[in-house]
Amino acid sequence: MTTHGYESGRLDLPFVGISTFGKRPYVADWSRIGADVAILGAPFDAGTQWRSGARFGPRGVREASTLFSFGHAGAYDHEDDATYLPGSVRIVDIGDADIVHTDTMTSHANIESGVRAILAAGALPVTIGGDHSINIPCINAFDDQGDIHVLQIDAHLDFVDERHGVRYGHGNPMRRAAEKPFVTGLTQLGIRNVSSTAKEGYDDARARGSDILSVRQVRKLGPEATAARIPEGTRVYITIDIDAFCPSIAPGTGTPSHGGFLYYDVLEILQQVAQDHEIVGIDLVEVAPDYDPTGSTSILAAQLLLNLLGFIFHARG
């Protein structure tokens, strides 16, 4: 008798049906989430400074995630000799936060409400953006959850305080996070080359306790030593900007930056962090599918999220 589940239930191939994340159940009532993980879409991109299009990120990543929806009892990894995301890990998709076009504050408030609903249900919030400004309401929602450390994987520092009167755009989220009393520090990985932040921003970030590493510095250290820089015992919130990756594998983003990470550069760090720390929340942002007709950027995002969730719940035992 096999236990992988292929013999039971509907076949429900990836190209059939509704594209929820991983083809997991859709829960419309945010007061009845009842899961270990809840996926929230945040299709807001009015915080961008150049190319828009990340508002379609949640749809693109959800559709791509159906590629990994075969079977009903997890995914076996022969390298790790582990089955990740077995049926005992309950994942639901709660749809998207309401976005009001041109209205940043109302849109952000609606995203924050979604993350708060997930936290109230005792589930792990996974928010798919949208531009990186959506991290601001995600972090706001943790104001009653105890201290957290933010791990940012990104090409850009995103530590601008204010530019042209804008304080809540996609160049501001890490500065807004650093101002929170419950954010005890930031680890910022992948920051490189022509950046969105002036030298004063780097000086300010370091003065506030940020640990900033480029792609080359991370590669020189290796994944274990890089992960070890996160203070022991901290609870970690992970924010991933898809432009952290080299546009040779992730062209579908508004602000591509060459010289970025490749897949295993990031995956091995995330696996180590998931083993060493409690992960309390995740967002993945800046996927803009229209700039990538191959769909590989959305597939990368979906594969990364599913593997990260597998690592988290495997570590929890």
Side-chain angles (χ1 to χ4, degrees):
M1 175 69 70
T2 58
T3 58
H4 52 63
Y6 292 142
E7 292 81 11
S8 62
R10 295 178 57 188
L11 185 58
D12 198 21
L13 291 174
F15 55 84
V16 176
I18 305 300
S19 296
T20 59
F21 185 79
K23 302 195 78 173
R24 300 304 178 109
Y26 170 58
V27 174
D29 185 348
W30 289 3
S31 68
R32 296 178 179 273
I33 291 173
D36 301 301
V37 180
I39 310 297
L40 172 69
F44 175 84
D45 66 4
T48 56
Q49 298 174 71
W50 193 36
R51 301 193 299 190
S52 60
R55 67 183 60 184
F56 297 108
R59 285 189 179 182
V61 175
R62 283 184 172 112
E63 184 172 348
S65 74
T66 65
L67 170 62
F68 308 105
S69 63
F70 287 102
H72 309 282
Y76 177 71
D77 187 311
H78 73 94
E79 288 184 285
D80 295 343
D81 190 23
T83 297
Y84 293 112
L85 296 181
S88 58
V89 178
R90 301 166 300 161
I91 302 174
V92 299
D93 190 325
I94 68 168
D96 292 344
D98 285 330
I99 302 302
V100 181
H101 61 289
T102 78
D103 190 336
T104 296
M105 302 315 291
T106 301
S107 299
H108 279 192
N110 291 339
I111 295 165
E112 181 180 334
S113 294
V115 178
R116 288 188 185 276
I118 297 169
L119 291 171
L124 178 72
V126 178
T127 307
I128 304 174
D131 69 51
H132 214 157
S133 74
I134 69 98
N135 171 262
I136 298 172
C138 290
I139 295 296
N140 287 346
F142 279 82
D143 62 0
D144 59 354
Q145 298 292 310
D147 289 346
I148 60 174
H149 183 97
V150 176
L151 169 60
Q152 175 198 10
I153 298 173
D154 200 330
H156 310 100
L157 198 67
D158 293 350
F159 213 87
V160 176
D161 182 18
E162 180 176 321
R163 183 178 290 154
H164 310 302
V166 175
R167 294 174 55 81
Y168 302 98
H170 74 166
N172 308 110
M174 295 302 102
R175 176 59 181 260
R176 298 287 83 84
E179 294 169 346
K180 301 296 183 185
F182 54 89
V183 174
T184 58
L186 285 80
T187 298
Q188 300 177 268
L189 306 180
I191 316 303
R192 62 189 183 271
N193 300 331
V194 179
S195 180
S196 59
T197 302
K199 181 179 184 299
E200 293 78 6
Y202 285 85
D203 293 341
D204 194 10
R206 290 191 173 103
R208 291 169 179 262
S210 284
D211 185 18
I212 304 168
L213 295 175
S214 70
V215 171
R216 289 184 292 185
Q217 289 169 327
V218 168
R219 285 179 174 155
K220 187 174 182 179
L221 281 170
E224 290 186 11
T226 298
R229 295 172 74 100
I230 298 174
E232 186 177 353
T234 52
R235 302 163 68 243
V236 176
Y237 182 100
I238 299 173
T239 180
I240 303 168
D241 188 324
I242 206 69
D243 69 27
F245 292 91
C246 185
S248 63
I249 65 167
T253 188
T255 52
S257 178
H258 281 275
F261 288 122
L262 297 180
Y263 179 66
Y264 280 108
D265 292 332
V266 173
L267 191 72
E268 291 177 9
I269 293 169
L270 294 177
Q271 185 169 19
Q272 191 66 47
V273 173
Q275 289 172 0
D276 295 343
H277 298 271
E278 179 188 357
I279 309 302
V280 298
I282 303 164
D283 65 62
L284 187 147
V285 300
E286 300 285 0
V287 173
D290 286 350
Y291 300 118
D292 180 7
T294 72
S296 63
T297 307
S298 294
I299 292 170
L300 170 65
Q303 185 172 339
L304 192 71
L305 284 175
L306 284 162
N307 274 294
L308 175 54
L309 289 172
F311 297 150
I312 290 168
F313 284 91
H314 188 70
R316 291 184 182 182

